[in-house]
């Protein structure tokens, strides 16, 4: 894990001298990290790794690696290595490449840190470092759009960090240990404060995970950052949020239904809204960003189910982790594909890209595989995890027989349908439809270095889809780590009738939405799509920003007036002391003073118009400031404080008198 | 007798500077640096020898000038000595574009002696005396520019400081009246006094708290601090980071833990008032900082807020909070001085002093702004920086005292801190004209060394705070 941190510095140094060497160095470094992580695998199968660096950060840092963490870690390093290879091609025409690679590696290091952290404080530390280093990736373009996205991202990240911190403070105060396992053991001693803590932690992590009312940064940031960065942001970084929520749920909420239900409901809302908004977008990256939000919704639903099903939650856990893994891969792939298009054209609007992809069958094929993956076509990886989640949902339905779960199932299916619809929208428009103007020639040279990672991910998707057992079996270990018994695991047949039917149903809905809604309503006469949602319609602009501004304005007003009062009283004292001075000085001075004052008054009347516009308090303040300037500082201070001391003495004597009485 | 040296030496240096005022700038700088470093070595020697006490003179029967060096004093002494050397190096270059350099350095060295006097003082009377001297020694530096505005704010500074000192004097008389003694005793002078009227003590504490609180910029007595920003940057950084405000904090520590003691204060039920004052300081400072366009003023309000953290740590009266307060005293000093140095470097190199002029400046001065960013992140308290360590202890202290409200205040303030500091770094690094030929304008080495050195300290204190933490914990264990 220290490799990326050291490496980022190295890469920066090398890059200043020679770009090619740096690119090569980066590729080698990330690949080595990936290989190292892969090589650790046999050790992990035997048992978990645990070690700690005492004295670091005062309390020491625990590093822990078990199966659950390993799966996520492997995914992280794999996608990162591929993204690095990809970046070397994608970024050739960008500026500040050195900075990009430096922070890319730093982000890798901190993301690995999040997954490896064995105590909650280092988890928080890596989480924060990750937020800050990835910020640099988000605003890499340095245009207004990127800056706006970056600002939202940063503000949300900081708020998230503070929520987490609050939660951790309360937790530490009550359990007095930081190690995650130790906390789990002592959690029973917690009273109701447990719920407050877990809500804080879930909100904090939920921001990163793009959970519903906190998702505002997500579409902006993913759309604004360079494609490989979007791929890791969406594919990996968002997972740190869900990882955190999983930790919280398994650590704190073994018996609470309310909060788990809340996660479930928020998950469904996220899932649905993400898909819903994705339907309307015309910018490819924004579609994918909303799609990420929707997929994060699936993961949240999985976590919610995990809490609800309790001991029987093995399926939900497997589904959740599997989906995290899969989403990382296929969303990485999709963003890579979009990046390929963007390198050649610098266009992201699907209307302008119409028919562009017809000339690029490899990109098209990869995109199609990604599409199959995300929509859950049997034989591709998304199918496996979605089936697992679906299984868990129906299990919950069996267990509780609540009508809500029927509604939930419908939302689940419709969301899947919407996934199909918006992915089809891109695919049909970009890769299938005929080009509008034949003579546009895009100069696009697909380079080996960017095709390879893309195809590798595509192959991975298909491989996992066809042979799900291998990773599935690893999940069994992960399940036990979270404290669920893994019995019942392994009995699921993926290609059962029910699962296939669900996929078919969602496909029908999806195609239906595509044909009737997208093609029916969202096209104008020229066949172009348009976005009917007004530009300023977002929770951020309607609620958060005015609210934030309002609170800030109120706070500012209160404190500003407090400050004004303080200054005013200071100036008044100053003025009174002036009067004293006037008495004390001989007549000549006094006259002078009076004349001066008269001049002031005249000045004031000359400038009366200006002054009359000022509020009365300010006018007096400025008047007394004028007077104050003419006073001798030392005498003033002596007078003021003689009088202050006298007042205080008087007060004290009076009080003492009372006591004596 | 060696104990008086650190206080006398700088003053001798100031005197020498006055005598040798016609010599070249080089020689003067050399002299100042020599004395500052020599002073630090004398301090270290004293620590090594383990000298603890020195009676200087006795006025009347019990009123005496008396030095005593305990853990707290050592902490403050080291902080001051080290920061002073950094500032001296920095000021050599910075003051080049100012007039009356000699006057500046004379008072600069005198203030060092006086501040160390504050740190060494063994009873309230000595503390009070040096506290007054400090105001006088720093006043000429505040009005250094000599403009109308500078004189005006100098006056404000004097008025507030003397006002505070007058209150302290009043309180001191009361304390003497009650106990017949002014020595600092750990666990409190009042600890073993029986039968003292509580209302009487309550009043005394309040008066003295306000008196010292003026220098510690506790709202509503903070307004001298932003005004004093007209002073040259090395002065502001010293005022803010090392000498003046931290003397206020130090005096508050002495007052709370060595005169009154936690036991008594808990009985007096006064902490609610004082901690609310601290909380208001925290919020007011950070909210008003956001509204400031001038960089130095923004930092000044930020100091008000950060001093609120420290004061809060002091008045919550439990071990964790005090640890947090003490460690934040050190951390804030180091962080804020770095921030001021960076701002000063920008001012010298580019003559920019407003926040909105800073677009793209990070590309011109990468090292300076890099240090600025690290310091900002540390001030916000993002792990793994030293600001986080102090926030951690302060927050736990607030929870220990069952005041969750203050936890919320701390975190809101952290958010506000982020929103008034980070945009500066962001604008500096990530905005700016495309394709403009970037000219590297990092300040001269003499300025850069202190900045980088202090940033290094920030990082080290963040990654490995244990060394400092152990020391502070032993201090805390001794006085609470």
């Amino acid at each position: 894990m220290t490799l990326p941190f050291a490496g980022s510095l190295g890469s920066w140094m090398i890059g200043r001298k020679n770009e090619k060497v740096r690119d090569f160095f980066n590729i080698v470094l990330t690949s080595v990290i990936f290989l190292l992580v892969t090589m650790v695998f046999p050790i992990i199968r035997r048992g978990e790794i645990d070690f700690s660096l005492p004295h670091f950060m005062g309390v020491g840092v625990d590093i822990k690696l078990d199966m659950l963490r390993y799966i996520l870690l492997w995914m992280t390093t794999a996608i990162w290595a591929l993204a690095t290879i990809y970046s070397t091609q994608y970024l050739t025409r960008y500026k500040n490449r050195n900075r990009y690679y430096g922070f890319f590696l730093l982000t890798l290091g901190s993301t690995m840190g999040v997954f490896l952290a064995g105590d909650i404080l280092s988890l928080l530390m890596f989480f924060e470092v990750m937020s800050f280093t990835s910020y640099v990736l988000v605003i890499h373009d340095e245009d207004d759009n990127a800056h706006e996205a970056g600002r939202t991202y940063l503000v949300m990240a900081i708020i998230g960090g503070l929520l987490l911190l609050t939660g951790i403070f309360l937790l530490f105060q009550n359990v007095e240990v930081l190690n995650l396992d130790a906390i789990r053991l002592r959690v029973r001693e917690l009273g109701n404060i447990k719920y407050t803590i877990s809500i804080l932690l879930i909100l904090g992590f939920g921001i990163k995970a793009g959970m519903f009312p906190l998702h505002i940064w997500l579409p902006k940031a993913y759309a604004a950052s360079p494609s490989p960065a979007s791929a890791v942001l969406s594919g990996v970084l968002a997972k740190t949020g869900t990882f955190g929520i999983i930790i919280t749920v398994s650590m704190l909420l073994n018996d609470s239904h309310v909060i788990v239900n809340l996660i479930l409901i928020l998950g469904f809302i996220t899932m649905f809204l993400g898909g819903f908004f994705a339907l309307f977008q015309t910018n490819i990256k924004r579609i994918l960003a909303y799609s990420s939000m929707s997929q994060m919704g699936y993961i949240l639903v999985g976590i919610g189910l995990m809490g609800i099903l309790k001991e029987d939650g093995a399926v939900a856990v497997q589904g959740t982790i599997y989906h995290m893994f899969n989403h990382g891969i296929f969303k990485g792939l999709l963003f890579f594909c979009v990046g390929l298009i963007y390198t050649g054209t610098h266009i992201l609007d699907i209307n302008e890209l119409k028919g562009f992809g017809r000339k690029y069958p490899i990109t098209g094929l990869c995109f199609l595989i990604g599409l199959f993956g995300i929509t859950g076509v049997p034989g591709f990886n998304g199918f496996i995890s979605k089936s697992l989640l679906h299984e868990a949902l129906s299990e919950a339905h069996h267990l509780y027989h609540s009508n809500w779960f029927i509604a939930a199932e419908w939302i689940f299916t419709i969301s899947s349908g919407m996934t199909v619809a918006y992915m089809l929208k891109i695919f049909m428009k970009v890769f299938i439809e005929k080009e509008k103007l034949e003579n546009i020639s895009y100069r696009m040279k697909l380079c080996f270095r960017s095709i390879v990672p893309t195809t590798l991910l595509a192959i991975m998707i298909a491989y996992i889809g066809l042979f799900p057992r291998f990773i599935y079996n690893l999940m069994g270990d992960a399940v036990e780590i979270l404290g669920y018994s893994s019995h019942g695991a392994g009995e699921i047949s993926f290609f059962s009738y029910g699962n296939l039917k669900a996929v078919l149903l969602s496909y029908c809905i999806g195609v239906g939405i595509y044909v009737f809604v997208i093609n029916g309503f969202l096209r104008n006469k020229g066949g172009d799509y348009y976005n009917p949602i007004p530009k300023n319609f977002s929770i951020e602009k309607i609620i958060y920003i005015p609210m934030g501004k309002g609170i800030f304005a109120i706070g500012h007003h209160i404190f500003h007036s407090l400050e004004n009062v303080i200054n005013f009283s200071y100036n008044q004292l100053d003025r009174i002391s002036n009067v004293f001075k006037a008495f004390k000085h001989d007549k000549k001075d006094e006259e002078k003073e009076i004349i001066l004052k008269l001049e002031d008054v005249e000045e004031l009347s000359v400038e009366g118009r200006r002054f009359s516009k000022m509020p009365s308090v300010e006018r007096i303040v400025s008047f007394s400031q004028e007077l104050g300037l003419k006073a001798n500082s030392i005498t003033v201070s002596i007078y003021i404080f003689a009088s202050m001391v006298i007042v205080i003495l008087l007060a004290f004597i009076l009080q003492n008198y009372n006591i004596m009485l | 007798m060696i104990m008086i040296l650190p206080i006398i030496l700088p003053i001798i240096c100031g005197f020498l500077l006055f005598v040798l005022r016609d010599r070249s700038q080089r020689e003067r700088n050399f002299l100042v640096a020599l004395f500052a470093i020599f002073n630090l070595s004398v301090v270290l020697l004293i620590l090594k020898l383990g000298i603890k006490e020195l009676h200087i003179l006795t006025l009347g029967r019990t009123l005496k000038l008396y030095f005593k060096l305990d853990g707290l004093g050592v902490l403050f002494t080291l902080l001051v000595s080290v920061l002073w050397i950094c500032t001296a190096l920095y000021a050599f270059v910075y003051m080049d574009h100012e007039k009356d350099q000699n006057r500046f350095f004379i008072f600069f060295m005198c203030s060092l002696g006086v501040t160390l006097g504050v740190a060494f003082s063994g009873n309230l009377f000595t503390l009070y005396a040096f506290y007054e001297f400090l105001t006088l020694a720093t006043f000429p530096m505040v009005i250094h520019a000599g403009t109308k505005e500078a004189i005006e704010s100098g006056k404000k500074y004097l008025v507030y400081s003397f006002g505070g000192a007058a209150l302290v004097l009043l309180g001191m008389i009361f304390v003497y009246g009650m106990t017949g003694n002014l020595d600092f005793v750990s666990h409190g002078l009042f600890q073993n006094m029986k039968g003292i009227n509580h209302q009487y003590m309550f009043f005394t504490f309040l008066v003295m708290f306000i008196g010292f609180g003026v220098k510690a910029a506790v709202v509503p007595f903070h307004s001298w601090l932003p005004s004093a920003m007209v002073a040259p940057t090395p002065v502001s950084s010293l005022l803010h980071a090392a000498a003046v405000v931290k003397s206020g904090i130090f005096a508050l520590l002495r007052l709370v833990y060595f005169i009154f003691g936690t036991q008594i204060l808990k009985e007096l039920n006064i902490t609610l008032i004082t901690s609310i004052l601290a909380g208001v300081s925290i919020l007011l400072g950070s909210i008003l900082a956001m509204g400031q366009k001038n960089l130095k003023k923004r930092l000044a309000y930020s100091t008000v807020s950060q001093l609120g953290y420290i004061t809060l740590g002091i008045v919550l009266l439990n071990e964790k909070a005090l640890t947090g307060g003490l460690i934040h005293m050190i951390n804030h000093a180091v962080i804020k001085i770095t921030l001021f140095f960076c701002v000063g470097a920008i001012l010298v190199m580019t003559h920019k002093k407003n926040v909105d002029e800073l677009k793209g400046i990070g590309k011109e001065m990468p090292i300076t702004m890099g240090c600025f960013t690290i310091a900002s992140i540390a001030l916000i308290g993002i792990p793994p920086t030293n600001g986080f360590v102090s926030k951690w202890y302060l927050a736990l202290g607030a929870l220990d005292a069952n005041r969750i409200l203050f936890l919320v205040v701390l975190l809101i303030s952290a958010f506000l801190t982020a929103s008034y500091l980070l945009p500066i770094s962001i604008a500096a690094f990530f905005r700016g004209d495309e394709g403009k030929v970037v000219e590297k304008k990092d300040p001269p080495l003499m300025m850069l060394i202190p900045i980088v050195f202090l940033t290094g300290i920030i990082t080290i204190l963040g990654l490995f705070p244990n060394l400092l933490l152990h020391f502070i914990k032993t201090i805390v264990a001794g006085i609470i």
Side-chain angles (χ1 to χ4, degrees):
Chain A
M1 196 183 75
T2 48
L3 263 178
F5 285 117
S8 71
L9 196 66
S11 132
W12 186 70
M13 304 273 273
I14 296 171
R16 281 176 61 135
K17 294 200 180 97
N18 187 336
E19 301 235 329
K20 282 211 168 128
V21 178
R22 179 206 54 210
D23 287 354
F24 182 70
F25 174 79
N26 275 318
I27 293 174
V28 170
L29 187 75
T30 43
S31 315
V32 165
I33 294 168
F34 171 65
L35 285 178
L36 276 178
V37 169
T38 315
M39 266 153 38
V40 175
F41 180 67
I43 309 174
I44 301 298
R45 283 222 97 159
R46 269 178 267 134
E48 57 190 50
I49 303 178
D50 232 332
F51 74 95
S52 57
L53 304 164
H55 302 305
F56 189 79
M57 278 281 299
V59 284
V61 167
D62 277 345
I63 299 291
K64 197 175 149 196
L65 189 57
D66 51 32
M67 201 34 108
L68 165 67
R69 290 174 163 85
Y70 183 79
I71 293 170
L72 295 170
L73 190 69
W74 190 85
M75 178 190 82
T76 308
T77 49
I79 291 180
W80 228 280
L82 294 176
T84 310
I85 299 173
Y86 184 83
S87 301
T88 54
Q89 166 70 17
Y90 183 83
L91 284 174
T92 38
R93 263 179 245 127
Y94 275 72
K95 55 192 160 59
N96 294 328
R97 286 186 293 274
N98 255 329
R99 185 180 77 197
Y100 174 85
Y101 286 115
F103 280 97
F104 202 62
L105 282 174
L106 278 180
T107 314
L108 169 62
S110 44
T111 312
M112 289 167 74
V114 171
F115 289 135
L116 286 174
D119 65 299
I120 198 154
L121 194 61
S122 42
L123 181 69
L124 173 77
M125 179 184 81
F126 288 121
F127 199 76
E128 295 265 0
V129 173
M130 186 187 75
S131 302
F132 276 84
T133 50
S134 55
Y135 169 75
V136 182
L137 302 180
V138 171
I139 58 149
H140 190 80
D141 284 355
E142 292 192 12
D143 52 13
D144 288 342
N145 194 6
H147 271 297
E148 201 204 322
R151 195 172 59 227
T152 318
Y153 179 66
L154 197 59
V155 168
M156 293 311 281
I158 291 171
I159 292 176
L162 292 175
L163 288 174
L164 285 181
L165 193 57
T166 321
I168 291 173
F169 279 140
L170 289 172
L171 187 64
F172 182 71
Q173 181 66 18
N174 288 294
V175 299
E176 296 193 331
V177 284
L178 285 171
N179 193 295
L180 290 173
D181 296 330
I183 291 175
R184 195 175 301 171
L185 291 179
R186 298 196 53 171
V187 123
R188 277 173 222 286
E189 300 159 28
L190 286 174
N192 282 329
I193 190 107
K194 192 164 94 176
Y195 303 114
T196 321
I197 295 169
S198 45
I199 286 178
L200 285 167
L201 291 181
I202 286 168
L203 284 179
F205 286 122
I207 285 180
K208 247 310 158 296
M211 191 162 80
F212 165 62
L214 311 168
H215 65 272
I216 52 170
W217 62 273
L218 193 141
K220 286 182 175 181
Y222 290 179
S225 46
S227 287
S230 314
V232 296
L233 275 175
S234 158
V236 183
L237 256 64
K239 306 299 181 301
T240 56
T242 45
F243 174 71
I245 297 179
I246 292 179
I247 294 274
T248 316
V249 169
S250 71
M251 186 172 73
L252 292 172
L253 298 172
N254 289 327
D255 56 346
S256 150
H257 260 265
V258 184
I259 294 170
V260 170
N261 276 330
L262 194 72
I263 298 178
L264 191 66
I265 291 166
L266 285 177
F268 276 116
I269 296 176
T270 313
M271 182 198 280
F272 184 78
L273 279 185
F276 185 70
F277 282 119
L279 290 179
F280 297 111
Q281 305 299 323
T282 54
N283 176 320
I284 300 190
K285 272 194 167 174
R286 279 189 96 86
I287 298 180
L288 289 184
Y290 275 112
S291 146
S292 299
M293 178 180 155
S294 169
Q295 300 300 317
M296 296 314 280
Y298 282 93
I299 297 170
L300 290 172
V301 165
I303 298 171
L305 287 172
M306 197 172 108
I308 285 181
L309 290 174
K310 289 186 205 159
E311 293 85 39
D312 306 322
V315 186
V317 180
Q318 282 163 336
T320 309
I321 298 166
Y322 218 144
H323 201 63
M324 281 164 79
F325 186 80
N326 286 339
H327 178 240
I329 294 171
F330 56 64
K331 201 40 78 61
L333 173 67
L334 291 173
F335 271 115
F336 280 177
C337 288
V338 172
L340 283 178
I341 297 169
Y342 185 70
T343 356
T345 60
H346 290 264
I347 296 171
L348 284 174
D349 192 287
I350 58 169
N351 293 321
E352 290 176 46
L353 284 172
K354 183 177 177 186
F356 163 78
R358 285 170 67 91
K359 290 180 192 161
Y360 302 98
I362 302 178
T363 317
L365 188 66
C366 290
F367 195 87
L368 189 66
I369 292 174
L371 187 155
F372 284 154
I374 198 171
T375 50
V377 171
F380 295 92
N381 63 354
F383 171 71
I384 311 296
S385 44
K386 280 195 180 173
S387 303
L388 283 172
L389 286 174
H390 198 252
E391 198 82 19
L393 195 62
S394 38
E395 198 166 316
H397 180 53
H398 283 307
L399 212 62
Y400 295 103
H401 296 290
S402 156
N403 283 333
W404 287 105
F405 283 104
I406 298 173
E409 279 209 57
W410 273 105
I411 295 177
F412 194 91
T413 320
I414 291 173
S415 300
S416 305
M418 286 194 294
T419 315
V420 176
Y422 59 71
M423 291 311 295
L424 274 180
K425 180 179 173 184
I426 302 179
F427 187 75
M428 298 304 273
K429 191 81 184 176
V430 177
F431 292 99
I432 303 295
E433 276 182 34
K434 285 239 169 73
E435 211 167 331
K436 208 166 19 177
L437 297 162
E438 294 292 336
N439 55 357
I440 290 184
S441 59
Y442 297 109
R443 277 178 295 112
M444 178 166 153
K445 206 176 70 196
L446 287 181
C447 182
F448 183 65
R449 275 180 295 176
S450 48
I451 291 285
V452 167
T454 319
T455 36
L456 274 178
L457 281 179
I459 291 167
M460 219 192 292
I461 289 175
Y463 177 79
I464 294 172
L466 292 174
F467 308 101
R469 289 281 160 196
F470 177 62
I471 296 180
Y472 182 73
N473 288 340
L474 298 184
M475 299 284 169
D477 298 345
V479 168
E480 278 175 6
I481 285 154
L482 288 174
Y484 298 92
S485 58
S486 62
H487 70 87
E491 294 162 14
I492 293 159
S493 58
F494 292 111
F495 298 98
S496 69
Y497 169 69
N499 288 339
L500 292 175
K501 195 184 78 177
V503 171
L504 201 64
L505 183 61
S506 62
Y507 250 84
C508 290
I509 294 173
V511 174
I513 293 176
Y514 175 71
V515 172
F516 292 113
V517 179
I518 295 187
N519 281 348
F521 289 106
L522 295 177
R523 277 182 183 239
N524 57 20
K525 277 171 195 148
D528 283 353
Y529 293 112
Y530 68 99
N531 186 353
I533 301 173
K535 226 180 170 185
N536 286 339
F537 179 83
S538 69
I539 305 185
E540 185 190 9
K541 291 212 170 94
I542 295 173
I543 300 173
Y544 291 149
I545 289 184
M547 205 166 73
K549 275 191 178 154
I551 292 172
F552 174 72
I554 293 168
H556 195 264
H557 202 76
I558 291 171
F559 285 114
H560 204 72
S561 40
L562 179 62
E563 176 122 316
N564 275 347
V565 167
I566 294 163
N567 282 337
F568 179 71
S569 43
Y570 167 80
N571 287 320
Q572 287 307 304
L573 280 173
D574 221 2
R575 220 178 90 180
I576 293 164
S577 68
N578 250 7
V579 176
F580 275 125
K581 202 172 123 200
F583 279 127
K584 201 185 142 198
H585 285 316
D586 56 8
K587 220 175 176 183
K588 219 174 174 182
D589 278 353
E590 206 173 321
E591 275 171 10
K592 223 178 183 176
E593 196 90 7
I594 290 166
I595 290 166
L596 280 174
K597 277 181 192 166
L598 280 176
E599 276 171 2
D600 281 345
V601 174
E602 273 171 32
E603 258 175 46
L604 285 181
S605 62
V606 170
E607 295 181 353
R609 221 174 273 162
R610 185 163 68 85
F611 274 82
S612 62
K613 277 181 191 162
M614 292 160 83
S616 58
V617 175
E618 275 181 44
R619 203 186 315 169
I620 295 167
V621 168
S622 65
F623 180 69
S624 48
Q625 269 171 350
E626 292 270 316
L627 285 179
L629 283 177
K630 295 183 178 72
N632 177 320
S633 54
I634 309 278
T635 30
V636 172
S637 51
I638 291 170
Y639 278 125
I640 292 175
F641 283 98
S643 52
M644 251 182 97
V645 169
I646 289 169
V647 169
I648 289 165
L649 272 174
L650 277 178
F652 179 68
I653 288 165
L654 280 178
Q655 197 201 13
N656 231 10
Y657 190 63
N658 279 343
I659 296 164
M660 278 189 273
L661 278 179
Chain B
M1 213 45 205
I2 192 172
M3 229 175 132
I4 205 168
L5 267 183
I7 291 146
I8 294 293
L9 266 176
I11 296 172
I12 293 174
C13 174
F15 183 70
L16 275 178
L17 286 174
F18 178 69
V19 174
L20 304 172
R21 61 187 175 282
D22 300 329
R23 294 301 184 85
S24 79
Q25 200 182 345
R26 244 183 104 82
E27 286 172 41
R28 186 203 59 215
N29 288 352
F30 179 72
L31 193 68
V32 171
L34 185 74
F35 267 86
I37 292 170
F38 186 58
N39 215 39
L40 176 64
S41 31
V42 172
V43 167
L44 290 177
L45 185 69
I46 292 172
L47 295 185
K48 186 94 203 264
L49 294 176
I51 300 168
K52 293 271 155 134
E53 286 185 330
L54 177 71
H55 291 266
I56 301 173
L57 78 164
T58 313
L59 307 167
R61 259 215 328 268
T62 47
L63 219 52
K64 59 204 174 195
L65 273 180
Y66 165 59
F67 286 163
K68 187 178 165 199
L69 201 54
D70 57 1
L72 202 58
V74 171
L75 192 70
F76 189 52
T77 311
L78 286 177
L79 175 74
V80 168
S81 318
V82 172
L83 290 187
W84 224 277
I85 295 175
C86 295
T87 316
L89 286 181
Y90 180 82
F92 293 153
V93 185
Y94 185 90
M95 294 309 285
D96 264 351
H97 74 286
E98 301 261 350
K99 56 188 166 45
D100 294 329
Q101 296 182 30
N102 258 321
R103 186 181 73 199
F104 172 82
F105 280 107
I106 291 169
F107 287 106
F108 179 76
M109 290 312 281
C110 289
S111 335
L112 170 59
V114 176
T115 315
L116 289 181
V118 171
F120 283 4
S121 49
N123 62 14
L124 199 53
F125 176 67
T126 322
L127 181 71
Y128 168 75
F130 280 106
Y131 193 76
E132 289 271 35
F133 282 142
L134 186 61
T135 312
L136 291 175
T138 47
F139 174 68
M141 296 200 285
V142 173
I143 60 162
H144 187 85
T147 57
K148 198 167 146 190
E149 199 195 352
I151 306 260
E152 193 46 22
S153 36
K155 187 180 89 184
K156 206 170 182 182
Y157 174 54
L158 268 193
V159 168
Y160 272 93
S161 301
F162 281 150
L167 291 178
V168 172
L169 181 60
L170 183 71
M172 200 166 83
I173 294 166
F174 289 152
V175 171
Y176 190 70
M178 281 183 271
T179 63
N181 191 356
L182 287 175
D183 287 347
F184 294 138
V185 180
S186 45
H187 305 290
L189 183 60
F190 283 97
Q191 181 78 356
N192 304 317
M193 305 277 169
K194 293 278 181 289
I196 297 174
N197 189 304
H198 269 194
Q199 249 173 308
Y200 200 81
M201 278 206 290
F202 185 92
F203 182 75
T204 312
F205 180 78
L206 206 59
V207 166
M208 291 186 78
F209 181 84
I210 292 170
F212 286 129
V214 168
K215 272 234 162 66
V218 174
V219 171
F221 310 103
H222 67 282
S223 111
W224 62 271
L225 191 59
S227 310
M229 278 305 98
V230 289
T233 311
V235 181
S236 339
S237 54
L238 271 189
L239 283 178
H240 283 258
V244 176
V245 292
K246 292 289 144 62
S247 309
I249 294 288
F250 184 74
L252 279 183
L253 276 168
R254 290 291 193 200
L255 172 70
V256 170
Y257 293 98
F258 291 82
I259 296 292
F260 283 85
T262 46
Q263 201 76 44
I264 302 285
L265 289 179
K266 273 179 189 153
E267 280 169 30
L268 287 181
N269 239 345
I270 199 167
T271 48
L272 191 65
I273 301 174
T274 49
S275 53
I276 283 174
L277 277 182
V280 171
S281 302
I282 293 174
L283 284 182
L284 179 134
S286 10
I287 286 186
L288 289 185
M290 279 182 80
Q292 300 299 323
K293 288 276 172 287
N294 182 308
L295 253 179
K296 277 173 88 178
K297 283 221 162 148
R298 192 175 272 206
L299 291 184
Y301 278 105
S302 145
T303 305
V304 172
S305 143
Q306 299 293 321
L307 290 172
Y309 282 41
I310 307 175
T311 316
L312 184 67
I314 295 172
V315 298
L316 282 178
L317 301 179
N318 62 50
E319 250 174 76
K320 280 175 188 155
L322 181 60
T323 314
L326 283 178
I327 201 162
H328 200 58
M329 181 170 103
I330 306 289
N331 288 340
H332 171 248
V334 184
I335 294 170
K336 199 41 82 57
I337 206 167
T338 315
L339 289 175
F340 268 111
F341 280 179
C342 293
V343 170
I346 294 168
L347 186 68
V348 171
M349 304 308 294
T350 65
H351 303 285
K352 288 174 179 167
K353 51 184 170 186
N354 285 339
V355 173
D356 45 8
E357 297 168 342
L358 293 179
K359 275 182 192 169
I361 207 164
K363 287 166 187 162
E364 291 172 29
M365 311 170 69
I367 302 179
T368 317
M369 285 315 289
C371 293
F372 187 90
T373 310
I374 293 176
S376 311
I377 288 176
L379 195 65
I380 301 163
I382 309 260
T385 53
N386 58 353
F388 177 73
V389 182
S390 24
K391 201 159 72 180
W392 176 255
Y393 280 97
L394 280 174
L396 289 181
L399 287 176
D400 258 6
N402 272 329
R403 301 250 165 82
I404 293 183
L405 180 67
F406 288 115
L407 177 69
V408 178
V409 166
L410 282 179
L411 294 172
I412 288 176
S413 170
F415 178 70
L416 291 170
T417 313
S419 41
Y420 65 72
L421 281 180
L422 284 182
I424 299 174
S425 303
I426 290 168
F429 278 110
F430 305 127
R431 283 178 196 269
D433 301 330
E434 295 284 321
K436 202 174 93 183
V437 180
V438 177
E439 200 183 333
K440 293 277 185 244
K441 274 197 213 157
D442 264 324
L445 208 58
M446 201 74 143
M447 259 170 147
L448 218 48
I449 288 173
I451 295 178
V452 173
F453 173 70
L454 288 168
T455 314
I457 292 187
I458 293 174
T459 327
I460 291 171
L461 282 182
L463 293 181
F464 307 100
N466 273 7
L467 205 66
L468 185 61
L469 215 53
H470 278 310
F471 185 55
I472 285 178
K473 276 186 176 158
T474 42
I475 296 175
V476 170
I479 61 180
I480 215 160

